[in-house]
Amino acid sequence: MLLDVKSLTKRFGGLTAVSNVAFGIERGEIIGIFGPNGSGKTTTLSLIAGILKPTSGVILWKGNDISTLSPFEVAQQGLVKTFQNPQLFPELTVVEHMRIACHLHIKRELGINRLRTLIGGMPVGLDRLLEQKIDQVLALCRLSSQRNEQAAALSYGGEKMLGVAMGMLCEPELLLLDEPASGLGHDEIANLDAVLRDLKSHGVTLCIIDHKVGFLGRLADRSIALHHGAVIASGKTSDVLADESVVAAYLGKKHA
Ligand SMILES: Nc1ncnc2c1ncn2[C@@H]1O[C@H](COP(=O)(O)OP(=O)(O)OP(=O)(O)O)[C@@H](O)[C@H]1O
């Protein structure tokens, strides 16, 4: 098991946002997390990514508890979270954003101590390697033709894809995606679907939260459904989406 979440609970004062959640992720799968607004999806991803600390429970990554690590340390382990709305610099180009995102890659490649020696400039060859890596990831994310465009010129879908591409430069083993399809049109969702399948075929394990049941229903091998912070169904995605309690949670009991 790559990731094993056990009895995960997060309280904000009197509100229990995540309640005793347990699930596992195997290498190479796409896992979907469904749930209506406020059901605890983002909180769960933020706990896994180290952005929030659990009130109780453990998060095992390859058997080691990572629940007390900082987001940076979690990312170094190979778990990277993308944001629903990536914070971009409007005047910087796509490729300049990618270069900024390379810092973690450099640290992993050379080790933190070696990074200190880079302040005076990169070792010969490393910059070329990084540019190659950037080109590969831009191609994978269908952003090559926009490499020299300013972020301000990107569509919303392009901005979100750049967020995914920047996450990919951290070389994730597990990429956590927070609502990658929200706000996207039909063609952009089809493009996203193709990119995420390509990432999977390149060996990246994906954990995706989204409201778009059609999109995630097609993509996710397995899913969990949350309601009021608790898991109400888990298993094969089609079974989870057909589950009576999941339908009731989304549409209200009288429609279920
Ligand atoms: N930092 C916080 N402080 C207090 N309450 C919070 C905080 N973050 C989230 N919550 C609450 O925890 C609950 C779960 O929120 P969360 O954002 O995880 O849900 P979600 O399923 O991702 O919702 P959405 O689909 O609307 O993004 C909500 O009631 C929310 O208001």
Side-chain angles (χ1 to χ4, degrees):
M1 186 91 62
L2 198 54
L3 185 81
D4 196 3
V5 173
K6 294 181 174 190
S7 309
L8 194 62
T9 295
K10 177 67 182 177
R11 291 195 197 91
F12 295 110
L15 177 97
T16 303
V18 172
S19 175
N20 211 19
V21 162
F23 66 96
I25 301 182
E26 300 283 358
R27 189 180 290 280
E29 325 187 83
I30 300 184
I31 294 289
I33 302 182
F34 290 98
N37 287 326
S39 57
K41 303 181 298 297
T42 298
T43 305
T44 301
L45 279 204
S46 298
L47 288 167
I48 295 171
I51 296 162
L52 293 171
K53 297 290 162 247
T55 306
S56 59
V58 285
I59 303 164
L60 298 177
W61 172 249
K62 300 177 186 172
N64 300 314
D65 188 6
I66 56 164
S67 56
T68 57
L69 300 185
S70 70
F72 175 70
E73 289 167 326
V74 173
Q76 274 189 318
Q77 301 270 325
L79 283 98
V80 174
K81 179 178 179 292
T82 67
F83 289 87
Q84 216 184 104
N85 298 300
Q87 300 296 306
L88 303 176
F89 301 97
E91 288 175 10
L92 295 188
T93 64
V94 166
V95 72
E96 285 166 343
H97 280 89
M98 296 291 278
R99 288 183 188 130
I100 290 170
C102 274
H103 71 283
L104 189 59
H105 179 85
I106 297 171
K107 285 181 189 174
R108 279 181 140 196
E109 192 95 341
L110 300 172
I112 187 83
N113 291 328
R114 283 285 292 121
L115 183 70
R116 294 198 184 102
T117 68
L118 299 182
I119 289 166
M122 283 204 223
V124 179
L126 180 63
D127 50 349
R128 196 169 38 80
L129 274 178
L130 291 178
E131 289 298 316
Q132 276 171 7
K133 176 89 192 155
I134 287 171
D135 286 346
Q136 281 167 6
V137 173
L138 286 177
L140 203 55
C141 294
R142 318 305 200 255
L143 285 170
S144 303
S145 63
Q146 286 151 296
R147 82 177 260 128
N148 295 318
E149 278 183 24
Q150 286 185 330
L154 294 177
S155 66
Y156 184 53
E159 283 178 18
K160 290 180 79 121
M161 193 59 85
L162 180 52
V164 173
M166 290 168 73
M168 279 300 293
L169 282 177
C170 299
E171 303 204 318
E173 285 180 66
L174 173 60
L175 189 61
L176 308 163
L177 294 133
D178 191 350
E179 301 204 22
S182 74
L184 302 192
H186 181 269
D187 291 351
E188 286 178 321
I189 290 179
N191 183 49
L192 175 68
D193 185 289
V195 168
L196 296 180
R197 285 176 198 276
D198 275 2
L199 298 188
K200 179 186 172 179
S201 70
H202 279 73
V204 184
T205 305
L206 300 169
C207 177
I208 308 170
I209 61 178
D210 217 284
H211 282 295
K212 291 215 158 58
V213 170
F215 157 73
L216 200 45
R218 285 189 299 275
L219 196 61
D221 304 305
R222 283 194 305 121
S223 290
I224 66 167
L226 296 177
H227 192 37
H228 297 313
V231 176
I232 54 168
S234 65
K236 212 173 134 203
T237 302
S238 52
D239 295 342
V240 168
L241 289 174
D243 188 285
E244 236 176 61
S245 56
V246 175
V247 177
Y250 264 106
L251 300 174
K253 278 205 167 22
K254 66 181 177 178
H255 295 285

